[in-house]
Amino acid sequence: MNNYKPIVYKNQRVLTSSQLAESFGTDNRRISENFNANKSRYSENKHFFVVEGNELKQFGEQYGNSVSVNRVSKLYLWPEKGAWMHAKSLNTDKAWEAYEMLIDDYYRIKEIEVAPSYMIGDPIARAQRWIEEARERLMLEDTIKEYTPKVAYYDTILNSKGTVTTSQIAKDYGLTAQQLNTILKNAGIQFKLNGQWLLYSKHANKGYAQSHSFNVTRSDGRKEVKMITKWMQRGRIMIHELLASMDIKPNIDKEYNDAK
């Protein structure tokens, strides 16, 4: 991955569409298609910024060595949240690996890069840095308020290295297995065959689930092998995002909101 010169816009590090595409191993057209196909899910000033007009000209003058604004009427810039949305849309191992590297090496500014205000001798520079620190604290507080319940549940998912049943996932949301299976069926994710829920082909090779066998004893004493679908980490995240879009929250979110 290229070591991009940092571009800062509205106090956030951002990447252009070209830089984001290069990082994810794709092209501008795919980034544009992902954005247009999921436009309702993106929020301006949260997932992306648009620079145009005089501001675009000034932006080109400031970052002309790393960003070309020639022959464009507007420029899309992607902060960390926007990069996550594109990684989710691409949903390839390379995109997720690139996203993690961007978080580690680009979006998250290392503490050693900027001295804290109390270490700056010049009073004007110290005051300017203090103002920046105050803004950063406010942004961090807003981010924590927004993401604390989400992070808590994602931690629950990612800390579980094995597979889980639909019943176990449903319990996390106060649902029954039958209710969750119906939701997944209606969303075009799975269908039932010989008593087992299976993923449709467009979802089958995305690392969402695995088939497991288990032995049962029939009433007449005969042994029988049955198959069941269990969900992997990526599948649990997919289900979480689907339920979130339906405003169905996990119990851990409800507990967090009730405690506030």
Side-chain angles (χ1 to χ4, degrees):
M1 182 176 296
N2 291 326
N3 293 320
Y4 297 117
K5 182 179 178 180
I7 300 173
V8 179
Y9 184 77
K10 293 189 176 181
N11 296 319
Q12 295 187 59
R13 283 195 172 186
V14 295
L15 289 173
T16 65
S17 297
S18 296
Q19 291 171 332
L20 194 63
E22 183 180 14
S23 299
F24 287 166
T26 185
D27 53 35
N28 283 11
R29 180 179 177 182
R30 185 70 185 278
I31 294 295
S32 179
E33 288 174 348
N34 283 341
F35 176 60
N36 291 326
N38 301 280
K39 212 163 189 175
S40 61
R41 297 175 181 267
Y42 287 83
S43 298
E44 189 170 355
N45 296 320
K46 178 180 179 181
H47 299 114
F48 69 95
F49 301 109
V50 179
V51 184
E52 52 190 334
N54 290 332
E55 189 181 18
L56 178 61
K57 181 180 178 181
Q58 294 171 358
F59 188 86
E61 291 172 352
Q62 182 178 1
Y63 293 107
N65 291 332
S66 53
V67 177
S68 175
V69 298
N70 294 330
R71 289 180 289 183
V72 295
S73 59
K74 63 176 64 174
L75 186 69
Y76 283 83
L77 301 175
W78 304 96
E80 178 184 331
K81 293 176 184 177
W84 184 85
M85 293 285 282
H86 280 290
K88 181 180 175 232
S89 295
L90 291 169
N91 200 25
T92 63
D93 290 337
K94 184 173 182 178
W96 284 116
E97 289 168 5
Y99 172 74
E100 291 177 2
M101 292 179 67
L102 284 174
I103 294 300
D104 292 338
D105 300 331
Y106 183 80
Y107 282 118
R108 301 290 168 83
I109 301 174
K110 308 294 189 298
E111 292 181 1
I112 60 172
E113 291 182 1
V114 181
S117 57
Y118 67 83
M119 294 182 62
I120 300 175
D122 180 84
I124 295 177
R126 182 168 64 249
Q128 290 174 337
R129 178 58 189 147
W130 186 89
I131 292 172
E132 291 175 0
E133 289 171 345
R135 287 174 178 165
E136 290 167 2
R137 283 193 296 272
L138 289 172
M139 290 176 61
L140 179 60
E141 288 173 4
D142 289 342
T143 302
I144 288 172
K145 288 177 184 177
E146 179 182 356
Y147 281 96
T148 292
K150 298 178 184 179
V151 169
Y153 189 67
Y154 275 119
D155 281 347
T156 300
I157 294 175
L158 297 176
N159 285 331
S160 176
K161 301 301 181 183
T163 55
V164 295
T165 64
T166 303
S167 296
Q168 290 172 303
I169 297 176
K171 186 177 179 182
D172 287 345
Y173 296 85
L175 301 172
T176 65
Q178 182 178 0
Q179 288 173 322
L180 181 53
N181 278 325
T182 300
I183 289 171
L184 295 172
K185 175 186 175 183
N186 292 340
I189 293 170
Q190 65 178 18
F191 64 97
K192 202 168 189 178
L193 180 66
N194 295 329
Q196 181 188 5
W197 288 102
L198 298 172
L199 302 188
Y200 283 104
S201 57
K202 65 180 179 179
H203 301 293
N205 296 319
K206 293 185 177 180
Y208 289 158
Q210 292 178 341
S211 289
H212 291 258
S213 62
F214 63 100
N215 296 318
V216 296
T217 303
R218 296 166 56 100
S219 58
D220 60 5
R222 287 186 298 163
K223 300 290 184 180
E224 185 178 0
V225 177
K226 287 198 171 184
M227 303 296 294
I228 187 174
T229 296
K230 289 189 176 183
W231 298 93
M232 302 165 68
Q233 289 176 345
R234 190 171 291 181
R236 292 183 68 184
I237 291 174
M238 178 273 295
I239 292 173
H240 177 65
E241 295 295 332
L242 171 64
L243 295 178
S245 71
M246 302 170 65
D247 201 30
I248 300 175
K249 300 177 181 178
N251 294 328
I252 195 170
D253 281 26
K254 299 171 188 174
E255 292 168 5
Y256 172 82
N257 290 325
D258 290 343
K260 289 199 300 184

